[in-house]
Short mmCIF file of all heavy atoms in Angstrom, two decimals:
data_model
loop_
_atom_site.label_atom_id
_atom_site.label_comp_id
_atom_site.label_asym_id
_atom_site.label_seq_id
_atom_site.Cartn_x
_atom_site.Cartn_y
_atom_site.Cartn_z
N PRO A 620 -96.13 -127.07 -301.47
CA PRO A 620 -95.18 -127.50 -300.45
C PRO A 620 -94.22 -126.37 -300.06
O PRO A 620 -93.77 -125.59 -300.90
CB PRO A 620 -94.41 -128.65 -301.13
CG PRO A 620 -95.30 -129.10 -302.24
CD PRO A 620 -96.05 -127.89 -302.69
N LEU A 621 -93.92 -126.31 -298.77
CA LEU A 621 -93.14 -125.21 -298.22
C LEU A 621 -91.99 -125.73 -297.36
O LEU A 621 -92.16 -126.66 -296.58
CB LEU A 621 -94.05 -124.32 -297.37
CG LEU A 621 -93.43 -123.10 -296.69
CD1 LEU A 621 -92.84 -122.13 -297.71
CD2 LEU A 621 -94.50 -122.40 -295.86
N THR A 622 -90.82 -125.11 -297.53
CA THR A 622 -89.64 -125.42 -296.73
C THR A 622 -89.08 -124.12 -296.16
O THR A 622 -88.99 -123.13 -296.87
CB THR A 622 -88.56 -126.10 -297.59
OG1 THR A 622 -89.09 -127.30 -298.14
CG2 THR A 622 -87.31 -126.41 -296.78
N PHE A 623 -88.71 -124.15 -294.88
CA PHE A 623 -88.09 -123.01 -294.23
C PHE A 623 -86.62 -123.28 -293.97
O PHE A 623 -86.27 -124.34 -293.46
CB PHE A 623 -88.75 -122.73 -292.87
CG PHE A 623 -90.04 -121.98 -292.96
CD1 PHE A 623 -91.24 -122.67 -293.07
CD2 PHE A 623 -90.06 -120.60 -292.90
CE1 PHE A 623 -92.44 -122.00 -293.13
CE2 PHE A 623 -91.26 -119.91 -292.97
CZ PHE A 623 -92.45 -120.61 -293.09
N GLU A 624 -85.78 -122.29 -294.28
CA GLU A 624 -84.39 -122.33 -293.87
C GLU A 624 -84.18 -121.14 -292.94
O GLU A 624 -84.18 -119.99 -293.36
CB GLU A 624 -83.42 -122.23 -295.05
CG GLU A 624 -81.98 -122.29 -294.60
CD GLU A 624 -80.99 -122.17 -295.74
OE1 GLU A 624 -81.33 -121.57 -296.78
OE2 GLU A 624 -79.87 -122.65 -295.58
N PHE A 625 -84.03 -121.45 -291.65
CA PHE A 625 -83.80 -120.42 -290.64
C PHE A 625 -82.31 -120.27 -290.43
O PHE A 625 -81.60 -121.25 -290.21
CB PHE A 625 -84.47 -120.80 -289.32
CG PHE A 625 -85.95 -120.96 -289.41
CD1 PHE A 625 -86.55 -122.20 -289.27
CD2 PHE A 625 -86.76 -119.86 -289.62
CE1 PHE A 625 -87.92 -122.36 -289.33
CE2 PHE A 625 -88.15 -120.00 -289.69
CZ PHE A 625 -88.72 -121.25 -289.55
N GLN A 626 -81.83 -119.03 -290.46
CA GLN A 626 -80.40 -118.81 -290.31
C GLN A 626 -80.01 -118.32 -288.92
O GLN A 626 -78.89 -118.53 -288.50
CB GLN A 626 -79.91 -117.87 -291.40
CG GLN A 626 -80.11 -118.49 -292.77
CD GLN A 626 -79.69 -117.58 -293.90
OE1 GLN A 626 -79.09 -116.53 -293.70
NE2 GLN A 626 -80.00 -117.98 -295.11
N HIS A 627 -80.93 -117.69 -288.20
CA HIS A 627 -80.62 -117.25 -286.84
C HIS A 627 -80.86 -118.40 -285.87
O HIS A 627 -81.88 -119.10 -285.97
CB HIS A 627 -81.49 -116.04 -286.46
CG HIS A 627 -81.03 -115.38 -285.21
ND1 HIS A 627 -81.37 -115.83 -283.96
CD2 HIS A 627 -80.22 -114.31 -285.01
CE1 HIS A 627 -80.81 -115.07 -283.05
NE2 HIS A 627 -80.10 -114.14 -283.66
N PRO A 628 -79.94 -118.64 -284.95
CA PRO A 628 -80.07 -119.79 -284.04
C PRO A 628 -81.32 -119.77 -283.15
O PRO A 628 -81.73 -120.81 -282.64
CB PRO A 628 -78.80 -119.75 -283.20
CG PRO A 628 -78.11 -118.49 -283.51
CD PRO A 628 -78.71 -117.90 -284.75
N SER A 629 -81.95 -118.62 -282.97
CA SER A 629 -83.13 -118.56 -282.10
C SER A 629 -84.29 -119.39 -282.65
O SER A 629 -85.19 -119.77 -281.89
CB SER A 629 -83.57 -117.10 -281.91
OG SER A 629 -83.96 -116.52 -283.15
N TRP A 630 -84.27 -119.70 -283.94
CA TRP A 630 -85.34 -120.50 -284.54
C TRP A 630 -85.18 -121.99 -284.26
O TRP A 630 -86.12 -122.76 -284.48
CB TRP A 630 -85.37 -120.28 -286.05
CG TRP A 630 -85.80 -118.91 -286.47
CD1 TRP A 630 -84.99 -117.86 -286.79
CD2 TRP A 630 -87.14 -118.44 -286.60
NE1 TRP A 630 -85.75 -116.77 -287.12
CE2 TRP A 630 -87.07 -117.10 -287.02
CE3 TRP A 630 -88.39 -119.03 -286.42
CZ2 TRP A 630 -88.21 -116.33 -287.25
CZ3 TRP A 630 -89.52 -118.26 -286.64
CH2 TRP A 630 -89.43 -116.93 -287.06
N ASP A 631 -84.01 -122.41 -283.82
CA ASP A 631 -83.75 -123.82 -283.55
C ASP A 631 -84.38 -124.19 -282.20
O ASP A 631 -83.74 -124.17 -281.16
CB ASP A 631 -82.26 -124.10 -283.55
CG ASP A 631 -81.95 -125.58 -283.46
OD1 ASP A 631 -82.87 -126.40 -283.66
OD2 ASP A 631 -80.79 -125.93 -283.19
N ASP A 632 -85.67 -124.52 -282.25
CA ASP A 632 -86.45 -124.72 -281.04
C ASP A 632 -87.54 -125.76 -281.30
O ASP A 632 -88.11 -125.80 -282.40
CB ASP A 632 -87.09 -123.38 -280.64
CG ASP A 632 -87.91 -123.48 -279.39
OD1 ASP A 632 -87.34 -123.38 -278.30
OD2 ASP A 632 -89.14 -123.68 -279.51
N ASP A 633 -87.83 -126.58 -280.30
CA ASP A 633 -88.84 -127.63 -280.46
C ASP A 633 -90.20 -127.07 -280.86
O ASP A 633 -90.90 -127.67 -281.68
CB ASP A 633 -88.98 -128.45 -279.17
CG ASP A 633 -87.78 -129.36 -278.94
OD1 ASP A 633 -87.03 -129.62 -279.90
OD2 ASP A 633 -87.59 -129.81 -277.79
N TRP A 634 -90.60 -125.92 -280.28
CA TRP A 634 -91.91 -125.35 -280.63
C TRP A 634 -91.96 -125.01 -282.12
O TRP A 634 -92.96 -125.30 -282.79
CB TRP A 634 -92.21 -124.09 -279.81
CG TRP A 634 -93.58 -123.56 -280.12
CD1 TRP A 634 -94.75 -123.89 -279.49
CD2 TRP A 634 -93.93 -122.63 -281.16
NE1 TRP A 634 -95.80 -123.22 -280.08
CE2 TRP A 634 -95.33 -122.44 -281.11
CE3 TRP A 634 -93.21 -121.95 -282.12
CZ2 TRP A 634 -96.01 -121.60 -281.98
CZ3 TRP A 634 -93.89 -121.11 -283.00
CH2 TRP A 634 -95.26 -120.93 -282.93
N VAL A 635 -90.90 -124.42 -282.63
CA VAL A 635 -90.85 -124.06 -284.06
C VAL A 635 -90.95 -125.33 -284.90
O VAL A 635 -91.72 -125.39 -285.86
CB VAL A 635 -89.56 -123.27 -284.39
CG1 VAL A 635 -89.41 -123.07 -285.90
CG2 VAL A 635 -89.55 -121.93 -283.67
N HIS A 636 -90.19 -126.36 -284.53
CA HIS A 636 -90.22 -127.61 -285.29
C HIS A 636 -91.60 -128.24 -285.24
O HIS A 636 -92.11 -128.74 -286.27
CB HIS A 636 -89.16 -128.58 -284.76
CG HIS A 636 -87.79 -128.01 -284.80
ND1 HIS A 636 -86.83 -128.34 -283.87
CD2 HIS A 636 -87.20 -127.12 -285.63
CE1 HIS A 636 -85.71 -127.68 -284.13
NE2 HIS A 636 -85.92 -126.94 -285.19
N GLN A 637 -92.25 -128.24 -284.08
CA GLN A 637 -93.60 -128.79 -283.96
C GLN A 637 -94.59 -127.99 -284.79
O GLN A 637 -95.48 -128.56 -285.43
CB GLN A 637 -94.04 -128.83 -282.49
CG GLN A 637 -93.27 -129.83 -281.67
CD GLN A 637 -93.50 -129.68 -280.18
OE1 GLN A 637 -94.20 -128.77 -279.72
NE2 GLN A 637 -92.89 -130.56 -279.40
N ARG A 638 -94.44 -126.67 -284.80
CA ARG A 638 -95.35 -125.81 -285.57
C ARG A 638 -95.20 -126.09 -287.07
O ARG A 638 -96.17 -126.16 -287.80
CB ARG A 638 -95.06 -124.35 -285.25
CG ARG A 638 -96.01 -123.38 -285.87
CD ARG A 638 -97.43 -123.54 -285.29
NE ARG A 638 -98.35 -122.72 -286.03
CZ ARG A 638 -99.16 -123.17 -286.99
NH1 ARG A 638 -99.18 -124.46 -287.30
NH2 ARG A 638 -99.96 -122.36 -287.64
N LEU A 639 -93.95 -126.25 -287.53
CA LEU A 639 -93.73 -126.59 -288.94
C LEU A 639 -94.38 -127.93 -289.26
O LEU A 639 -95.05 -128.08 -290.28
CB LEU A 639 -92.23 -126.64 -289.26
CG LEU A 639 -91.45 -125.34 -289.20
CD1 LEU A 639 -89.98 -125.60 -289.51
CD2 LEU A 639 -92.02 -124.29 -290.13
N GLY A 640 -94.16 -128.90 -288.38
CA GLY A 640 -94.73 -130.23 -288.59
C GLY A 640 -96.24 -130.19 -288.66
O GLY A 640 -96.85 -130.84 -289.51
N ALA A 641 -96.87 -129.44 -287.77
CA ALA A 641 -98.33 -129.34 -287.76
C ALA A 641 -98.86 -128.73 -289.06
O ALA A 641 -99.95 -129.06 -289.51
CB ALA A 641 -98.79 -128.52 -286.55
N ALA A 642 -98.06 -127.85 -289.64
CA ALA A 642 -98.47 -127.19 -290.89
C ALA A 642 -98.02 -127.98 -292.13
O ALA A 642 -98.35 -127.60 -293.25
CB ALA A 642 -97.88 -125.78 -290.94
N GLY A 643 -97.26 -129.06 -291.93
CA GLY A 643 -96.77 -129.83 -293.07
C GLY A 643 -95.62 -129.17 -293.79
O GLY A 643 -95.33 -129.50 -294.95
N ALA A 644 -94.94 -128.24 -293.14
CA ALA A 644 -93.80 -127.54 -293.75
C ALA A 644 -92.50 -128.24 -293.35
O ALA A 644 -92.36 -128.71 -292.23
CB ALA A 644 -93.77 -126.08 -293.30
N ALA A 645 -91.56 -128.27 -294.27
CA ALA A 645 -90.27 -128.90 -294.02
C ALA A 645 -89.28 -127.90 -293.44
O ALA A 645 -89.33 -126.72 -293.74
CB ALA A 645 -89.72 -129.49 -295.31
N LEU A 646 -88.37 -128.43 -292.65
CA LEU A 646 -87.26 -127.65 -292.13
C LEU A 646 -86.04 -127.97 -292.98
O LEU A 646 -85.66 -129.13 -293.13
CB LEU A 646 -86.99 -128.03 -290.67
CG LEU A 646 -85.77 -127.38 -290.02
CD1 LEU A 646 -85.99 -125.87 -289.87
CD2 LEU A 646 -85.52 -128.01 -288.66
N CYS A 647 -85.42 -126.95 -293.54
CA CYS A 647 -84.20 -127.13 -294.32
C CYS A 647 -83.04 -127.41 -293.39
O CYS A 647 -82.82 -126.69 -292.41
CB CYS A 647 -83.93 -125.87 -295.14
SG CYS A 647 -82.39 -125.93 -296.07
N VAL A 648 -82.29 -128.45 -293.69
CA VAL A 648 -81.08 -128.80 -292.95
C VAL A 648 -79.91 -128.29 -293.79
O VAL A 648 -79.74 -128.72 -294.93
CB VAL A 648 -80.98 -130.32 -292.73
CG1 VAL A 648 -79.68 -130.68 -292.04
CG2 VAL A 648 -82.20 -130.82 -291.95
N THR A 649 -79.12 -127.38 -293.22
CA THR A 649 -78.04 -126.75 -293.96
C THR A 649 -76.69 -127.10 -293.36
O THR A 649 -76.45 -126.86 -292.18
CB THR A 649 -78.22 -125.21 -293.98
OG1 THR A 649 -79.54 -124.90 -294.45
CG2 THR A 649 -77.20 -124.56 -294.88
N ASP A 650 -75.83 -127.67 -294.17
CA ASP A 650 -74.46 -128.00 -293.76
C ASP A 650 -73.55 -126.86 -294.22
O ASP A 650 -73.36 -126.67 -295.42
CB ASP A 650 -74.03 -129.33 -294.37
CG ASP A 650 -72.66 -129.77 -293.91
OD1 ASP A 650 -72.30 -129.48 -292.74
OD2 ASP A 650 -71.95 -130.42 -294.68
N LEU A 651 -73.01 -126.13 -293.26
CA LEU A 651 -72.18 -124.97 -293.56
C LEU A 651 -70.71 -125.25 -293.27
O LEU A 651 -70.40 -126.03 -292.35
CB LEU A 651 -72.64 -123.77 -292.72
CG LEU A 651 -74.05 -123.28 -293.00
CD1 LEU A 651 -74.49 -122.29 -291.92
CD2 LEU A 651 -74.13 -122.64 -294.37
N PRO A 652 -69.81 -124.59 -293.97
CA PRO A 652 -68.38 -124.78 -293.70
C PRO A 652 -67.98 -124.35 -292.30
O PRO A 652 -66.95 -124.78 -291.79
CB PRO A 652 -67.68 -123.93 -294.76
CG PRO A 652 -68.71 -123.36 -295.63
CD PRO A 652 -70.05 -123.70 -295.09
N THR A 653 -68.77 -123.51 -291.66
CA THR A 653 -68.44 -123.03 -290.32
C THR A 653 -68.80 -124.04 -289.23
O THR A 653 -68.40 -123.85 -288.08
CB THR A 653 -69.19 -121.72 -290.04
OG1 THR A 653 -70.60 -121.93 -290.22
CG2 THR A 653 -68.71 -120.60 -290.95
N LEU A 654 -69.51 -125.11 -289.58
CA LEU A 654 -69.90 -126.11 -288.59
C LEU A 654 -68.79 -127.14 -288.40
O LEU A 654 -68.18 -127.59 -289.36
CB LEU A 654 -71.17 -126.83 -289.04
CG LEU A 654 -72.43 -125.98 -289.20
CD1 LEU A 654 -73.57 -126.83 -289.76
CD2 LEU A 654 -72.83 -125.35 -287.88
N ASP A 655 -68.55 -127.51 -287.15
CA ASP A 655 -67.56 -128.54 -286.86
C ASP A 655 -68.09 -129.94 -287.18
O ASP A 655 -67.32 -130.84 -287.52
CB ASP A 655 -67.14 -128.49 -285.38
CG ASP A 655 -66.35 -127.23 -285.06
OD1 ASP A 655 -65.69 -126.68 -285.96
OD2 ASP A 655 -66.42 -126.79 -283.90
N GLU A 656 -69.40 -130.12 -287.04
CA GLU A 656 -70.04 -131.41 -287.28
C GLU A 656 -71.22 -131.20 -288.22
O GLU A 656 -71.81 -130.12 -288.26
CB GLU A 656 -70.55 -132.00 -285.97
CG GLU A 656 -69.51 -132.06 -284.88
CD GLU A 656 -69.26 -133.47 -284.45
OE1 GLU A 656 -70.10 -134.34 -284.72
OE2 GLU A 656 -68.20 -133.70 -283.84
N PRO A 657 -71.61 -132.23 -288.96
CA PRO A 657 -72.81 -132.09 -289.78
C PRO A 657 -74.02 -131.78 -288.89
O PRO A 657 -74.10 -132.23 -287.75
CB PRO A 657 -72.96 -133.46 -290.44
CG PRO A 657 -71.60 -134.07 -290.38
CD PRO A 657 -70.97 -133.53 -289.12
N PRO A 658 -74.97 -131.01 -289.41
CA PRO A 658 -76.12 -130.62 -288.61
C PRO A 658 -77.05 -131.80 -288.32
O PRO A 658 -77.10 -132.78 -289.05
CB PRO A 658 -76.82 -129.57 -289.47
CG PRO A 658 -76.42 -129.92 -290.87
CD PRO A 658 -75.03 -130.49 -290.76
N LEU A 659 -77.81 -131.65 -287.24
CA LEU A 659 -78.83 -132.63 -286.88
C LEU A 659 -79.94 -132.58 -287.92
O LEU A 659 -80.34 -131.49 -288.36
CB LEU A 659 -79.38 -132.29 -285.49
CG LEU A 659 -80.45 -133.20 -284.93
CD1 LEU A 659 -79.90 -134.61 -284.73
CD2 LEU A 659 -80.96 -132.63 -283.61
N ILE A 660 -80.43 -133.72 -288.32
CA ILE A 660 -81.53 -133.78 -289.28
C ILE A 660 -82.84 -133.92 -288.50
O ILE A 660 -83.01 -134.84 -287.71
CB ILE A 660 -81.37 -134.96 -290.25
CG1 ILE A 660 -80.14 -134.76 -291.11
CG2 ILE A 660 -82.62 -135.11 -291.12
CD1 ILE A 660 -79.84 -135.91 -292.06
N ARG A 661 -83.74 -132.98 -288.73
CA ARG A 661 -85.07 -133.02 -288.13
C ARG A 661 -86.09 -133.04 -289.26
O ARG A 661 -86.16 -132.10 -290.05
CB ARG A 661 -85.31 -131.80 -287.25
CG ARG A 661 -84.46 -131.78 -286.01
CD ARG A 661 -84.86 -130.58 -285.15
NE ARG A 661 -84.05 -130.51 -283.97
CZ ARG A 661 -82.93 -129.82 -283.88
NH1 ARG A 661 -82.47 -129.16 -284.91
NH2 ARG A 661 -82.24 -129.80 -282.75
N LEU A 662 -86.87 -134.09 -289.32
CA LEU A 662 -87.91 -134.20 -290.34
C LEU A 662 -89.19 -133.59 -289.77
O LEU A 662 -89.75 -134.11 -288.80
CB LEU A 662 -88.13 -135.67 -290.71
CG LEU A 662 -89.11 -135.93 -291.83
CD1 LEU A 662 -88.56 -135.41 -293.16
CD2 LEU A 662 -89.41 -137.41 -291.94
N THR A 663 -89.63 -132.49 -290.34
CA THR A 663 -90.87 -131.86 -289.89
C THR A 663 -91.98 -131.99 -290.91
O THR A 663 -93.15 -131.89 -290.56
CB THR A 663 -90.66 -130.36 -289.58
OG1 THR A 663 -90.27 -129.69 -290.77
CG2 THR A 663 -89.61 -130.16 -288.50
N GLY A 664 -91.62 -132.17 -292.16
CA GLY A 664 -92.61 -132.24 -293.23
C GLY A 664 -92.61 -133.61 -293.87
O GLY A 664 -91.96 -134.55 -293.39
N PRO A 665 -93.29 -133.75 -294.99
CA PRO A 665 -93.38 -135.04 -295.66
C PRO A 665 -92.14 -135.41 -296.47
O PRO A 665 -92.08 -136.48 -297.06
CB PRO A 665 -94.60 -134.87 -296.57
CG PRO A 665 -94.65 -133.41 -296.86
CD PRO A 665 -94.14 -132.74 -295.61
N PHE A 666 -91.15 -134.54 -296.51
CA PHE A 666 -89.93 -134.79 -297.27
C PHE A 666 -88.76 -134.18 -296.52
O PHE A 666 -88.92 -133.36 -295.62
CB PHE A 666 -90.02 -134.22 -298.69
CG PHE A 666 -90.40 -132.76 -298.71
CD1 PHE A 666 -89.44 -131.77 -298.58
CD2 PHE A 666 -91.73 -132.39 -298.85
CE1 PHE A 666 -89.80 -130.44 -298.57
CE2 PHE A 666 -92.10 -131.05 -298.85
CZ PHE A 666 -91.14 -130.08 -298.71
#
């Protein structure tokens, strides 16, 4: 099982999310102190 945590905003894209989903890889959702709101949760993998 594989999970990606992308830190550069350019990775936050529907194509990337679809590609992860097709491969069964999860997208890490990271809540950072610099965010004003909790991040959006996108389920791309089985967990």
